[in-house]
Amino acid sequence: MRSRRSGLSPASLLTGIATLGALLVAAPAAHAADTPLRDLASAKGKVIGTAVTGSKLTGTYGDTAGAQFNSLTPGNAMKWESVEPSRGTYNWAEADQIVAFAQAHNQQVRGHTLVWHSQNPGWLANGSWTPAQLSTLLQDHISTEVTRYKGKLAAWDVVNEPFNEDGTYRSTLWYNGLGADYIAQALTWARAADPSAKLYINDYNVEGVNAKSTALYNLVKSLKERGIPIDGVGLQAHLILGQVPATFQQNIQRFADLGVDVAITELDIRMQLPSTDAKLTQQAADYKAVLDACVAVTRCTGVTVWGFTDSDSWIPDVFTGYGAATPYDENYVPKPAYYAIATALGGTSTPPTGACSATYSVTNQWNTGFTGQVRIACSGAALSSWRVSWTYGAGQQITQAWNATCTQTGAAVSCLNASYNGTVANGGSVTFGFNAAWSGSNPVPTVTLG
């Protein structure tokens, strides 16, 4: 049955669309019948985490981060330039916000990162320091930050990216000023500040067996032999579509055999844009291969994705022409990669077929108002017109809408397609937006397309 806009009352329009079998509930973080990723991971004794930005932990972003993940990593909030932008002046606001969010949602926090060659404040990077001064600065920084969050963080990426691709030490402020033993010193100071936090060395392009990962292996082996506190290694896993190393699981296992944990700390899998069904299918297989490798090794603690939605990914800003690297698209709709993660963690979650869905998201929010967006997408079905409805739970009020005609009675909102965007083809999507007022809280409502 195909319904047309003209000549139909809203009631008959609703009936017509419902006859299409397109009536469903759209949740911001996958579908209502799915088991959250965090529950699947916990059942296997694993972590499934995501990097987050503190200021975004509201609306759909916050709801998804809280519901789907059992671990959070601050994307930038705990880096040196963020916490001590000028010498002796600290800004803990965003880091504290993320820790508080995690505590409220029963999540772990992974601290990132204490010692790195990048994102250091200008006063530090451009200073002229003697080795003694540099050592004091580093010890003070580690002691101050780790002590602040003592007992609140599960792990720290203490040292980040110490190696070149050939396995030699990277030339950095720390290596050049203090020698290779800055790593052992940093770990020792971190352990003194919080004996309960797990201490990691974290690097990229060390996922398979190669010169760089072997250098990391030899370093960890040496540190353990010397009695230096080292609990684990982080394999970042910023991967390219179709290029998961064949030796991934073997590499995880050899580190585990040294007596340390392994965490996949920054997983994303980028593709050349535009994305296609074939690329998304390959990406799902790649995500599953990474998760499978971790699940197979007892000492692999889990996997953290570096941002869970494509709208929050660093990839397009750094790799021109690449993107779509995360498990959710820009509108918080789970991609095949999401379902592949769920499957690897023992779930039975599968993408919906033959359905149209509506997804509500908050795209911007300020003190008294917010901008929202609803995306209607079809896969295996099509629409010639649509109606979306929801009920607000905290007194929000629509003030303006575009690309749809929206009415609100009390808490109930109903939005009809405009004359020009009622048709949604199989595989296609349309969006409409609105501004609204809010006060106190802005929970994401359950949206019905019908």
Side-chain angles (χ1 to χ4, degrees):
M1 174 181 175
R2 294 176 64 85
S3 45
R4 278 180 257 195
R5 182 81 189 276
S6 64
L8 287 176
S9 68
S12 60
L13 177 61
L14 176 58
T15 302
I17 298 175
T19 305
L20 291 171
L23 185 65
L24 56 90
V25 174
H31 298 268
D34 295 338
T35 302
L37 297 180
R38 62 180 292 167
D39 293 348
L40 296 172
S42 294
K44 287 193 171 292
K46 302 292 184 182
V47 163
I48 184 72
T50 182
V52 293
T53 301
S55 61
K56 296 180 180 179
L57 285 171
T58 185
T60 305
Y61 182 97
D63 289 342
T64 306
Q68 291 292 325
F69 301 97
N70 58 11
S71 177
L72 301 182
T73 299
N76 291 297
M78 290 185 177
K79 292 172 181 174
W80 200 323
E81 72 172 3
S82 298
V83 298
E84 195 181 0
S86 58
R87 189 174 183 181
T89 301
Y90 295 92
N91 180 2
W92 305 106
E94 187 187 357
D96 286 354
Q97 180 185 15
I98 293 169
V99 172
F101 182 95
Q103 290 174 334
H105 292 82
N106 193 29
Q107 296 167 305
Q108 296 182 10
V109 178
R110 181 180 192 88
H112 179 81
T113 176
L114 295 171
V115 190
W116 192 24
H117 65 273
S118 186
Q119 290 185 248
N120 290 314
W123 67 264
L124 174 66
N126 300 324
S128 179
W129 313 106
T130 67
Q133 290 172 327
L134 197 59
S135 179
T136 298
L137 285 169
L138 184 58
Q139 181 175 6
D140 287 350
H141 171 72
I142 292 172
S143 299
T144 299
E145 186 160 8
V146 176
T147 298
R148 181 176 184 85
Y149 298 107
K150 181 179 180 180
K152 297 180 180 179
L153 269 60
W156 277 102
D157 291 326
V158 178
V159 177
N160 199 44
E161 301 173 1
F163 289 110
N164 293 314
E165 296 304 300
D166 63 0
T168 58
Y169 283 102
R170 184 192 292 267
S171 175
T172 69
L173 172 69
W174 311 113
Y175 178 77
N176 296 341
L178 300 174
D181 225 35
Y182 81 90
I183 297 172
Q185 292 170 332
L187 291 162
T188 301
W189 293 328
R191 176 53 48 83
D194 186 355
S196 66
K198 299 293 187 181
L199 308 181
Y200 281 72
I201 301 171
N202 190 53
D203 215 328
Y204 66 93
N205 288 352
V206 292
E207 295 76 30
V209 176
N210 57 34
K212 193 174 187 180
S213 66
T214 297
L216 178 58
Y217 177 91
N218 289 333
L219 170 62
V220 172
K221 185 173 184 290
S222 172
L223 291 170
K224 287 188 69 67
E225 289 171 348
R226 293 170 56 192
I228 303 298
I230 174 70
D231 300 303
V233 295
L235 315 182
Q236 292 184 12
H238 294 296
L239 303 176
I240 301 172
L241 189 72
Q243 296 185 26
V244 177
T247 53
F248 207 146
Q249 183 176 330
Q250 174 189 343
N251 193 42
I252 295 172
Q253 187 64 60
R254 72 167 174 162
F255 280 103
D257 292 342
L258 279 179
V260 296
D261 293 335
V262 179
I264 312 305
T265 55
E266 304 181 21
L267 175 64
D268 50 30
I269 301 176
R270 63 187 181 269
M271 64 181 70
Q272 192 165 12
L273 298 173
S275 65
T276 64
D277 287 345
K279 291 177 184 178
L280 291 172
T281 298
Q282 179 63 57
Q283 184 185 57
D286 292 345
Y287 265 95
K288 187 173 185 301
V290 173
L291 268 292
D292 284 345
C294 181
V295 168
V297 180
T298 301
R299 293 203 70 151
C300 183
T301 61
V303 175
T304 291
V305 293
W306 203 248
F308 60 87
T309 171
D310 289 342
S311 63
D312 194 46
S313 174
W314 70 297
I315 294 296
D317 294 333
V318 176
F319 298 97
T320 302
Y322 284 79
T326 78
Y328 290 80
D329 72 12
E330 294 88 344
N331 296 294
Y332 300 96
V333 176
K335 292 154 59 176
Y338 166 91
Y339 299 99
I341 294 171
T343 300
L345 291 173
T348 57
S349 183
T350 56
T353 58
C356 299
S357 63
T359 305
Y360 178 111
S361 60
V362 175
T363 58
N364 190 26
Q365 183 168 292
W366 56 98
N367 289 343
T368 59
F370 67 95
T371 299
Q373 177 179 277
V374 175
R375 178 176 184 261
I376 299 109
C378 292
S379 176
L383 296 173
S384 59
S385 53
W386 45 262
R387 177 191 186 112
V388 179
S389 59
W390 63 87
T391 300
Y392 277 127
Q396 301 100 315
Q397 289 287 323
I398 300 278
T399 57
Q400 177 190 19
W402 50 92
N403 297 331
T405 300
C406 294
T407 58
Q408 182 169 353
T409 304
V413 178
S414 179
C415 297
L416 293 170
N417 62 269
S419 60
Y420 50 83
N421 66 354
T423 298
V424 186
N426 180 13
S429 65
V430 298
T431 61
F432 68 89
F434 55 89
N435 289 327
W438 73 291
S439 177
S441 64
N442 189 19
V444 172
T446 296
V447 180
T448 300
L449 170 66

